[in-house]
Amino acid sequence: MEKKEQQALHPFVDWFRSSSPYIHAHRGKTFVILFGGEALANRDFANLIHDIALLYGLGIKVVLVNGARPQIEERLRLRGAEMRYINGLRVTDAAALTCVKEAAGAVRVEIEALLSMGATNSPMSGGGIRVVSGNFVTAQPIGVHDGVDYCHTGRVRRVDAEAIAKVLDSGAIALVPPLGYSPTGEVFNLSAADAAGAIAAALHADKLIILMEGGRLNDSRGRVLTNLIPVELERILKRRPRMPEELAQQLRNAIGACRRGVKRIHLLERRMDGALLKE
């Protein structure tokens, strides 16, 4: 009996021992993790939260940047309105901005609630995770382009890296919604990918992890691309002009973040269970 029990334990013991170099290597490092609002609508979203909590528990400093597109579009449908896209950019009028703020608030509360779980015999037991959100991103309007006024759609002007660093140093997770604020008190609808790239660069993050909805990047032979440098990724963008705009935007921001000092960028398929841990 004792010999059988020892044999049964070996795979787990070997795995646990082999994981220790990764734990030591990543403790104290800063990860910026981007995921879309589609993740929240998925029934497996709790598993993603558990994996994020595990990274946090291993001593990794975590910044979460979330999108909210499905939640925004649902509110627009209920109001009989729509989000217009022109030249790949969304136009956020006053009605759309109301929906953006409502959706961003609801998504934030849902994420905070899941990170607050701590039931006994659950993956979150004893986690004690604190989550801090705030006006970390200063934005400016995109303005008028080719005769189109993009209204309350904005771009990142500045990231308060010092404030985010203080949140991380206090032992909390920083949660950043796809919103930016101006010095005059205006609110702007931002691309979550733009925000994540700017935040990762401002923090000199060790990793920017993008959980993509659009699947994997393949070469011309259908093989999955696993290691790329910015120049190679730029070539892919030029060769595939019909790539979905959201995916193209994520890739452009990955290139920008890499060139602004982010050490590693991971493009993961969000629907793959455990993608964060497998990477």
Side-chain angles (χ1 to χ4, degrees):
M1 286 292 292
E2 184 178 349
K3 186 175 181 180
K4 288 183 180 180
E5 287 177 3
Q6 287 177 346
Q7 290 176 342
L9 281 173
H10 284 169
F12 171 77
V13 172
D14 289 343
W15 170 85
F16 205 54
R17 285 172 177 163
S18 65
S19 70
S20 60
Y22 296 96
I23 296 172
H24 298 318
H26 292 126
R27 184 181 292 116
K29 297 299 194 301
T30 300
F31 290 8
V32 177
I33 303 173
L34 166 66
F35 56 88
E38 294 85 355
L40 282 88
N42 190 280
R43 62 182 181 181
D44 294 327
F45 183 59
N47 290 339
L48 175 59
I49 290 294
H50 296 160
D51 292 347
I52 290 169
L54 178 56
L55 295 181
Y56 169 85
L58 294 175
I60 294 168
K61 299 177 180 180
V62 178
V63 180
L64 301 180
V65 183
N66 69 274
R69 187 174 66 174
Q71 293 79 7
I72 293 168
E73 291 178 348
E74 175 63 22
R75 283 163 173 77
L76 286 166
R77 280 193 294 270
L78 293 174
R79 291 173 180 263
E82 64 177 357
M83 182 77 79
R84 292 187 296 141
Y85 289 85
I86 301 176
N87 298 324
L89 293 173
R90 56 193 146 191
V91 179
T92 310
D93 59 19
L97 182 63
T98 298
C99 295
V100 168
K101 291 191 285 188
E102 289 177 356
V107 167
R108 171 187 166 182
V109 169
E110 186 172 348
I111 294 171
E112 288 177 345
L114 289 171
L115 285 169
S116 300
M117 291 189 300
T120 305
N121 298 325
S122 79
M124 302 287 286
S125 178
I129 298 173
R130 290 184 295 114
V131 187
V132 177
S133 187
N135 56 341
F136 300 125
V137 179
T138 300
Q140 61 189 28
I142 286 178
V144 178
H145 287 274
D146 298 326
V148 178
D149 184 357
Y150 288 90
C151 302
H152 302 283
T153 298
R155 61 167 58 95
V156 177
R157 181 179 181 182
R158 187 177 64 84
V159 173
D160 191 344
E162 183 179 353
I164 297 176
K166 286 181 179 177
V167 168
L168 300 177
D169 290 341
S170 74
I173 286 178
L175 175 61
V176 185
L179 297 175
Y181 307 90
S182 77
T184 58
E186 295 176 278
V187 180
F188 292 103
N189 181 18
L190 302 179
S191 157
D194 286 348
I199 290 167
L203 291 173
H204 303 292
D206 298 279
K207 292 182 185 290
L208 168 59
I209 300 173
I210 301 174
L211 299 173
M212 303 189 304
E213 299 295 330
R216 303 175 181 179
L217 283 176
N218 300 326
D219 63 14
S220 58
R221 298 181 181 179
R223 296 174 299 188
V224 177
L225 297 170
T226 56
N227 294 283
L228 293 169
I229 60 175
V231 171
E232 293 170 327
L233 199 49
E234 285 176 331
R235 289 177 188 149
I236 291 173
L237 285 168
K238 289 180 180 178
R239 291 171 184 167
R240 303 181 189 178
R242 295 184 180 179
M243 182 181 293
E245 178 57 30
E246 184 176 6
L247 175 58
Q249 196 174 56
Q250 291 174 338
L251 298 181
R252 286 193 295 267
N253 280 281
I255 292 169
C258 187
R259 286 183 168 154
R260 285 182 286 172
V262 179
K263 297 175 183 177
R264 293 187 68 84
I265 294 158
H266 301 273
L267 307 172
L268 309 181
E269 188 175 349
R270 192 270 306 167
R271 287 169 290 188
M272 180 187 296
D273 188 32
L276 272 178
L277 303 184
K278 290 175 183 177
E279 185 63 34

